[in-house]
Amino acid sequence: MPAAAFPGAGRASGADAALLARMARVPFSRWHTRARLVMGSATFFDAFDVLALAFVLPVLKAQWNLAPGQVGWLISIGYLGQFAGALGFGAWAERIGRVRAATVAIALMSAMALACVFASSFPVLLACRFVQGVGVGGEVPVAAAYINEISPTASRGRFFMLYEMVFPVGMMVTGQVGAWLVPAHGWQAMFLVGAVPGVVIAALVARLPESPRWLLARGRFAEAERVVVELEASTDRRVPAPAAPPRPAAVTRTGWRELFSPFYRGRTLVVWGLWFGTYLIANGLNNWLPTLYRSVYGLDLAAALRAASMTNVVQVAITLACALLVDRLGRRSWALGCYAAAALLFLALGAGGAGSVLRVGVLATLAYGLLSSINVLLYLYTPEIYPTRSRAVGTGLATACLRLGSSAGPAVIGALVGAGRLAWVFLVFAAVCGACLLLATRMVETSGRALEELAP
């Protein structure tokens, strides 16, 4: 289908195509490594800030005498902030660039983590977590679009997934740090550890080169060429030229309406559903498990936090396997297998396994690890299915759906636990996995294909 058939598509020069072809010939190099490490550092502390509250809540619940509904709101409010951040920063990144938008989001996230340290009441902490969520929700989709646009085509899946590994690693570190830090130094220490590195990371991100694809989409050829020359200078190696040069990014301005054009509508609805359903389960479990272990199963604080931290250890192991296999197996096959396995695990818990803390610890942890690998996979897949001119806004809107799911999950668990229906939590999760399995059958396979080929 020609580019003109898409809303907002325009005509780009042969010079743009030639520059993209030069970029495609540069294999993985120290230039890529630097960008991945710097942006990855921001994503690491995103993960820390997202999960920190889960390890704070068992203490705050007793110290502030919080009801289950208030616990649910403290978890959910951050995701509502992330929803706003994903919408706002995704659109902003299309106008001012990936690097500048990510820098502002990181600075906001870190400043509000510091504000959480001094929160003295439930309403104040609720407000701080909302604004902090705006920063977290803004950085993650913009960073995903940026890393996707600079990744080598042949190994884009592995390159991106190894970058995204910093998120589950950040959660794993948060779990281990939280299990020790909160009992020893109090809940404020968790927010302080997440806040301090933010200023340094924001400064480092601000110095990264802008995405050449975004620069070309804005008609800034000379700046894009300077970045590609810097990329070429980072290594003497070259890969064979592609059989056909990739389509250049169109020099036009488009908006969210393109996501619902005939070509992109099906893709958009599929990823929105996958983001919502997967994160409804994953972040519901992630945030509630420490409190469940303590209040439902009677574990002491240290044991409850240690048990909850194991979910993130398993998450890292399964996500690493995904990173190493995703280019070979394909995005769609991995998602289908994980949704099916997770649905069976949740069914086992709902059918009677929830009565044992050991069975919950094993089966829920495995299911969480499988779904978390899909969470990371979706950060790879979503930017791949949209064109450069609307990649950040498309990813931002999709991740806004994950924020809605992340907000709904803890609230659902809170309501069911408050009604004494823990088994129903796992039955609901099994049903959501089944719905996601059906949606995943409609995924477009993107492995090994240039971004311009996938999304003209």
Side-chain angles (χ1 to χ4, degrees):
M1 186 176 293
F6 303 101
R11 187 178 301 277
S13 72
D16 290 358
L19 191 63
L20 285 175
R22 285 167 55 189
M23 186 177 174
R25 292 200 62 205
V26 182
F28 180 77
S29 68
R30 65 177 182 273
W31 187 92
H32 297 98
T33 300
R34 175 175 173 266
R36 187 166 70 181
L37 286 176
V38 171
M39 196 65 80
S41 298
T43 302
F44 177 93
F45 281 98
D46 277 353
F48 195 100
D49 289 331
V50 165
L51 189 57
L53 186 67
F55 289 84
V56 163
L57 279 175
V59 175
L60 282 181
K61 187 175 185 296
Q63 188 174 327
W64 289 357
N65 195 28
L66 299 179
Q70 289 177 301
V71 171
W73 268 109
L74 270 177
I75 296 170
S76 298
I77 198 69
Y79 295 116
L80 292 176
Q82 290 173 36
F83 174 82
L87 292 178
F89 277 91
W92 203 26
E94 303 292 10
R95 294 196 297 272
I96 69 169
R98 301 356 182 174
V99 170
R100 290 174 65 190
T103 300
V104 174
I106 295 162
L108 177 62
M109 173 187 71
S110 302
M112 294 315 299
L114 186 61
C116 288
V117 175
F118 300 101
S120 58
S121 65
F122 171 77
V124 173
L125 184 59
L126 197 70
C128 290
R129 287 291 293 177
F130 176 81
V131 180
Q132 185 187 29
V134 173
V136 174
E139 190 275 339
V140 173
V142 174
Y146 176 79
I147 294 295
N148 222 296
E149 289 174 357
I150 67 168
S151 299
T153 298
S155 59
R156 185 174 59 244
R158 184 174 68 252
F159 177 88
F160 186 92
M161 291 291 289
L162 289 175
Y163 151 74
E164 275 291 335
M165 277 291 299
V166 299
F167 197 87
V169 167
M171 287 191 160
M172 181 180 70
V173 171
T174 306
Q176 303 308 312
V177 170
W180 162 77
L181 192 65
V182 173
H185 299 285
W187 64 268
Q188 292 93 339
M190 278 297 285
F191 291 121
L192 186 62
V193 169
V196 171
V199 176
V200 175
I201 293 172
L204 291 174
V205 168
R207 295 173 61 85
L208 287 175
E210 185 53 82
S211 160
R213 282 185 163 93
W214 179 81
L215 290 169
L216 288 176
R218 305 299 288 187
R220 292 158 62 173
F221 179 86
E223 295 171 72
E225 186 174 36
R226 283 196 292 271
V227 175
V228 173
V229 168
E230 180 186 339
L231 168 61
E232 291 173 324
S234 66
T235 178
D236 294 329
R237 296 180 299 121
R238 296 291 183 268
V239 298
R247 291 173 178 264
V251 186
T252 58
R253 296 186 180 185
T254 61
W256 60 268
R257 292 179 182 83
E258 181 171 23
L259 310 182
F260 293 95
S261 65
F263 188 84
Y264 292 108
R265 184 188 304 125
R267 300 181 179 193
T268 295
L269 295 177
V270 166
V271 292
W272 282 18
L274 293 178
W275 280 109
F276 180 87
T278 310
Y279 271 85
L280 183 150
I281 300 170
N283 279 335
L285 279 177
N286 212 10
N287 285 284
W288 262 99
L289 273 178
T291 302
L292 290 178
Y293 285 138
R294 181 146 172 77
S295 61
V296 175
Y297 295 103
L299 299 183
D300 62 46
L301 178 61
L305 295 182
R306 282 196 302 270
S309 72
M310 290 307 299
T311 59
N312 304 113
V313 176
V314 173
Q315 174 189 21
V316 168
I318 297 177
T319 303
L320 178 59
C322 179
L324 298 176
L325 296 172
V326 70
D327 283 322
R328 185 184 311 168
L329 297 179
R331 284 60 156 156
R332 183 173 173 272
S333 296
W334 183 273
L336 289 172
C338 288
Y339 281 129
L344 292 174
L345 292 169
F346 285 130
L347 277 174
L349 285 170
S356 163
V357 66
L358 179 60
R359 286 195 292 269
V360 170
V362 173
L363 299 184
T365 294
L366 285 175
Y368 174 81
L370 291 167
L371 292 176
S372 293
S373 73
I374 301 177
N375 291 346
V376 178
L377 180 71
L378 288 172
Y379 276 112
L380 162 66
Y381 177 74
T382 303
E384 290 179 321
I385 63 173
Y386 293 123
T388 300
R389 59 186 174 268
S390 56
R391 182 167 291 122
V393 72
T395 305
L397 284 169
T399 58
C401 293
L402 89 81
R403 313 306 174 188
L404 292 177
S406 296
S407 178
V412 167
I413 294 177
L416 290 173
V417 170
R421 298 183 177 274
L422 181 58
W424 277 92
V425 170
F426 300 113
L427 292 176
V428 169
F429 287 172
V432 173
C433 281
C436 288
L437 180 65
L438 292 176
L439 282 175
T441 63
R442 305 296 301 274
M443 290 174 67
V444 177
E445 187 50 65
T446 58
S447 301
R449 299 170 65 186
L451 295 178
E452 287 71 27
E453 174 194 353
L454 286 165

